[in-house]
Amino acid sequence: MEIIIHGTGAMGSVVRELATEDTDIKVTGFADELTNEEGDVIIDFSHFSRLNTLLDYANEKKIPLVIATTGYTDEIYNKIVEVSKNIPILLSSNMSLGVNLMQDILEKIVPILYGNYDIELIEKHHNKKVDSPSGTAKTILDVIEKGCSEKMEKVYGREGIKKREKNEIGVSVVRGGTIVGEHSVLFCGNDEIIEIKHTALSKKIFGIGAIKAAKFLVNKEPGLYEMKDIFNNL
């Protein structure tokens, strides 16, 4: 399999390192802006400002695309959906198996716990991450909201003198040091706390997931795929 890596930052470098250890993979491109690279699939770990151009490139070349970049606008998301009608695209805010299993767990327990527990989300990342909350945190929030029977109000950080409302989801963001990534959902009830937590200890887990996604996407029909489509077949 020939892969093109779009994005030469920390994660792009991790993917390239992992790819060189896989005898079934050849890296045919490693760049922040693609010009004339050819391959079986593109893995994107770039910056949201480059997604518009990337989508045009992949669409023109008819190359399947794994998008792991976060922070994009609704306009770009809509373009992703449109382009996926022509080529297969796998879109995920987090390439980790553990995070995706965490979301599955939340889908099951939120409808049960909602109403009797206050829900709080805490996410932590390194000091170079530019988007807050993280794309993974936003995905987790979507999962939580879908499991609640009434509209929830997201409260980002807390300040001042105000009592917590029942229909709030508290969101706290930490940025510091070299934290790879940590996401915790707390269900705080009377005299007990249930916590669902995922901690990434290395960036390699995201690179491994991205390569799995790339292998999955080759020869797939056009459409918009997610990590669940891979892990459900493991």
Side-chain angles (χ1 to χ4, degrees), residues 35 41 69 135 176 207:
T35 53
V41 61
T69 297

Side-chain angles (χ1 to χ4, degrees), residues 58-74:
N59 194 29
E60 179 185 350
K61 298 281 189 177
K62 295 295 181 286
I63 303 175
L65 176 59
V66 176
I67 301 178
T69 297
T70 62
Y72 47 80
T73 63
D74 289 340

Side-chain angles (χ1 to χ4, degrees), residues 98-167:
V99 165
N100 284 274
L101 289 175
M102 178 183 180
Q103 292 170 21
D104 282 347
I105 292 169
L106 290 171
E107 285 180 1
K108 293 177 174 64
I109 69 173
V110 169
I112 299 170
L113 299 179
Y114 163 75
N116 295 312
Y117 295 79
D118 296 323
I119 305 173
E120 297 280 317
L121 186 151
I122 304 169
E123 67 101 333
K124 305 174 185 178
H125 280 91
H126 51 86
N127 57 21
K128 292 181 174 58
K129 187 168 180 61
V130 296
D131 55 318
S132 298
S134 67
T136 300
K138 291 178 180 178
T139 301
I140 290 172
L141 285 169
D142 287 341
V143 171
I144 294 171
E145 287 186 286
K146 288 176 183 176
C148 298
S149 59
E150 66 176 312
K151 182 175 174 57
M152 302 297 285
E153 182 75 22
K154 293 185 283 291
V155 178
Y156 297 93
R158 296 188 185 278
E159 184 181 14
I161 303 172
K162 184 182 178 183
K163 183 181 177 182
R164 188 192 200 282
E165 299 296 331
K166 192 68 178 176
N167 68 332

Side-chain angles (χ1 to χ4, degrees), residues 146-215:
K146 288 176 183 176
C148 298
S149 59
E150 66 176 312
K151 182 175 174 57
M152 302 297 285
E153 182 75 22
K154 293 185 283 291
V155 178
Y156 297 93
R158 296 188 185 278
E159 184 181 14
I161 303 172
K162 184 182 178 183
K163 183 181 177 182
R164 188 192 200 282
E165 299 296 331
K166 192 68 178 176
N167 68 332
E168 289 180 2
I169 301 175
V171 183
S172 300
V173 174
V174 176
R175 293 288 178 268
T178 58
I179 301 171
V180 176
E182 183 178 296
H183 296 85
S184 302
V185 179
L186 286 76
F187 297 89
C188 306
N190 293 328
D191 302 320
E192 64 177 353
I193 298 172
I194 301 169
E195 182 176 3
I196 309 297
K197 179 180 178 180
H198 178 271
T199 302
L201 301 178
S202 164
K203 293 180 183 294
K204 281 189 175 182
I205 63 169
F206 309 123
I208 291 168
I211 289 174
K212 285 182 184 292
K215 290 180 177 180

Side-chain angles (χ1 to χ4, degrees), residues 5 7-16 18 30 45 203-208 210:
I5 302 170
T8 62
M11 275 311 309
S13 298
V14 168
V15 173
R16 183 170 66 167
L18 291 169
F30 182 66
F45 274 107
K203 293 180 183 294
K204 281 189 175 182
I205 63 169
F206 309 123
I208 291 168

